[in-house]
Amino acid sequence: MKKHATTPISHRQSVLTRLLPVLLLLLLPAVGGMTGCAEDDELSEPQNLYNVKGNEWIYEQMVHHYYWTDELPTKEKLNFNENMADFYEHLIYSGDRFSYYKRNGSYNGNLDQYLKQMPRCGVECQVYETPQGKTIARTLLVYPDSPMASVLRRGDWFTLSADGHTLTLLTLLPDATTLSGESIPVRTTASRSSANSSVYLDTVYHIDGHRIGYMHYTSFDDIFPLISSLKRLHEADITEMILDLRYNGGGFVTTSIYLATAFVPDSLYGQPAQYLRYNKTVSMERFGSEDGYTVYNYCDASDMHNQSSHPRHIYFLVGRSTASASESTINLIRPFVPATLIGERTVGKGIGMYDISDNNHPLTLVPITFRYYNNQWETVPDSGLVVDHYVPNGNSVSMKDMGRFDEPLLAAALEQILGYRPPVDSHATPPARRRSALPTLTEEEEAQAIRQLRPISSPSTYYLRQGFILPEENR
C-alpha cells in the first residue's frame, strides 16, 4: 500500500547537477587535520538513463496515476529514445508546479554518481543566485546542538568552495554583490543532532495571565517528534497557540491530521477530516466509481489532553515556504477553532503525491496524484492562503532568532493576543547567539538586495534538512 504524502516541490535534475558543489551542506568545522571525504567524481550522465523500456514504463505509470492524465501528450508526440529524466519532464502538465523525480534506492543498477544522496544536517537554508551569477545561501535555522551552531547563525549569508571543503561567510550589499568574510574549513558528514526532529522549538510563554504555546514545526514527518511536544503544551493548559509553519513545505497526510486533531474539539474524533480525490482510472480501480475518494478521520487525542485544555485561538505563522500539508492542517482546524494567519501568502498546494517505483528502473516518480479537501469539501486555492495580518519581509529579511520576542512574526502574534509587544528583555525571551563579525545592513538595505536575487532552490525549504539534494529521499 502506498503511503500518501503531500510533500511539494519539483527539484529539476539539471539544477541539482549544477548546484551540487555549492550545496554540500552536511558540514562540520574541521578539527585538527582535514578529515573530509574524498572529492566527488565528476557527475556524468549514465547510459542507463537512456532506456526506451524505462520511458515506456514512465508513460504507462503517468497514464494510470497522474492527476492530470487528460493533459498528457499522446505517444506520437514523444521521443522514447531520450533521457528518462527529460522524458518524464516532458510529460508534466504546464500547470503542474510540483511533480518531481528522485533516485530509486532499490534500483538494481548504480546511479549514486548521478543522483547524489546526502545525509541530514542541523542547518536549513535558502539558496539564491546573484545578478552576477554567483550562488549563495542564507541560513534559516540552525539546530542548537548542530555541529554548525558554532559557525552559522540564523540570517548568515555564505557560500561554499567548489570542492565543498571551505565555507565563506558573506555580507550581502545593497546592490546584491557580496563582500567575503571569514573562510572556515569544513568537512561533509552526517549530523546526529536534533536536526532529526521536525520540532525545532516548543515552549510556553506565561504573560499577563495568558499561557501562550509556541511551536516551530519544520516538516510533517512521523508523528513521534510531535507527541512529546504537544503533550507538554496541553499539560500547560495553554490559552492560545502559535503554530509556526513558515518553513514547513509539507509531509505525510496522516501526520497533518494528527496535528490538527490535537487542537480541534473532542467531538470530532472519529469524524471525517480529509478527503482525497484521484483521477478517474485510480478512482474506478480503488472504489468502483469514478467519483470515489479516500477518507481520513480525525484520530483520538484524548490521551494527550483533557476537555478543558484546548486553546481558544490559534495563530498560524506562514509565508512563501508554507505549503501542502501545512496548508492542509490550517484548513482542517479553521472551520472549528478561531484562527488567524500572520505573515505572507502561502504557496497554494492543495494537491499531493505518492512514490511510484520499480526495481528495474533507476528513477522513482513522484507525480501529483490526488487533490485533498477538508470535511467541508474545501481545498487550498492554487493562489495560496491569504493572511489576516501581513508582516512584510518577515520570512526573508528580518532574521531574529526563533522564539525571541523581537522576531517579527512572533511579535505580531503576541501583539494580537496581548494588545502590545512584550519587551525583548523579558525573562521568557531566549538569548540571542553570538552575531557574526561581518558588517550588517539595515532591514531596508537588505530588502533592496534580496529583491535582486533569484531563488534557485524550491520556494519551500523543508527538504534542505535532508541534504539540499533530493526531497523526501528518506521517506
Side-chain angles (χ1 to χ4, degrees), residues 33 46 60 63 90 131 181 225 233 278 330-331 334 339 361 364 393 453:
E60 177 184 341
V63 167
H90 292 154
L233 292 169
Y278 310 85
I330 295 169
N331 268 6
R334 278 203 299 187
H361 301 294
T364 293
N393 299 319
L453 302 178

Side-chain angles (χ1 to χ4, degrees), residues 4-8 249-253 323-326 349 351-353 370 372:
H4 290 104
T6 59
T7 49
F252 296 138
V253 169
S324 198
S326 288
K349 183 175 181 292
I351 43 186
M353 62 269 280
F370 60 87
Y372 55 82

Side-chain angles (χ1 to χ4, degrees), residues 48-55 57-58 81-89 101 361-363 365:
N48 52 1
L49 281 182
Y50 288 90
N51 186 329
V52 173
K53 289 186 177 180
N55 287 336
W57 172 79
I58 289 175
N81 292 306
E82 68 178 336
N83 177 299
M84 289 176 65
D86 292 338
F87 181 84
Y88 176 71
E89 293 284 349
Y101 62 86
H361 301 294
L363 300 185
L365 312 181

Side-chain angles (χ1 to χ4, degrees), residues 147-402:
M148 291 304 294
S150 62
V151 176
L152 292 172
R153 60 156 293 161
R154 176 169 156 80
D156 279 348
W157 295 90
F158 69 92
T159 190
L160 290 176
S161 60
D163 61 7
H165 293 168
T166 303
L167 180 148
T168 301
L169 295 173
L170 304 171
T171 293
L172 182 67
L173 301 177
D175 63 356
T177 58
T178 58
L179 178 67
S180 297
E182 181 182 4
S183 293
I184 304 165
V186 293
R187 58 188 174 91
T188 58
T189 186
S191 167
R192 299 188 181 277
S193 72
S194 59
N196 293 302
S197 171
S198 50
V199 178
Y200 176 75
L201 174 65
D202 68 79
T203 190
V204 177
Y205 304 117
H206 297 266
I207 309 172
D208 293 348
H210 294 265
R211 298 176 298 280
I212 305 168
Y214 172 80
M215 182 169 70
H216 186 105
Y217 189 51
T218 61
S219 180
F220 285 83
D221 296 318
D222 293 333
I223 67 171
F224 300 107
L226 279 176
I227 294 175
S228 56
S229 292
L230 291 173
K231 194 169 184 64
R232 281 193 296 271
L233 292 169
H234 283 294
E235 286 176 347
D237 196 17
I238 55 176
T239 53
E240 294 86 13
M241 179 67 197
I242 301 173
L243 185 55
D244 196 336
L245 301 174
R246 74 183 76 183
Y247 300 139
N248 192 318
F252 296 138
V253 169
T254 49
T255 306
S256 168
I257 294 172
Y258 180 85
L259 178 58
T261 298
F263 299 110
V264 300
D266 295 1
S267 60
L268 288 172
Y269 296 169
Q271 298 299 311
Q274 192 167 73
Y275 305 110
L276 273 56
R277 304 207 69 159
Y278 310 85
N279 69 28
K280 292 179 181 179
T281 301
V282 173
S283 295
M284 181 63 71
E285 178 181 81
R286 294 188 180 189
F287 312 108
S289 168
E290 292 183 352
D291 296 323
Y293 50 83
T294 297
V295 181
Y296 286 94
N297 294 334
Y298 289 104
C299 50
D300 186 350
S302 57
D303 59 337
M304 188 187 306
H305 56 76
N306 55 47
Q307 293 278 351
S308 63
S309 65
H310 289 286
R312 56 198 178 201
H313 199 112
I314 297 183
Y315 297 83
F316 294 100
L317 307 186
V318 299
R320 288 170 289 176
S321 295
T322 305
S324 198
S326 288
E327 296 167 303
S328 171
T329 299
I330 295 169
N331 268 6
L332 294 175
I333 293 174
R334 278 203 299 187
F336 309 105
V337 181
T340 300
L341 272 64
I342 296 173
E344 299 174 293
R345 185 190 292 262
T346 65
V347 170
K349 183 175 181 292
I351 43 186
M353 62 269 280
Y354 46 73
D355 291 1
I356 301 172
S357 63
D358 183 296
N359 289 354
N360 295 316
H361 301 294
L363 300 185
T364 293
L365 312 181
V366 196
I368 295 299
T369 50
F370 60 87
R371 180 172 288 278
Y372 55 82
Y373 303 81
N374 65 12
N375 69 359
Q376 312 291 304
W377 282 101
E378 299 167 335
T379 190
V380 174
D382 293 342
S383 58
L385 299 175
V386 178
V387 295
D388 301 296
H389 296 279
Y390 175 63
V391 180
N393 299 319
N395 289 355
S396 58
V397 175
S398 299
M399 289 288 182
K400 304 293 184 181
D401 286 338
M402 294 298 180

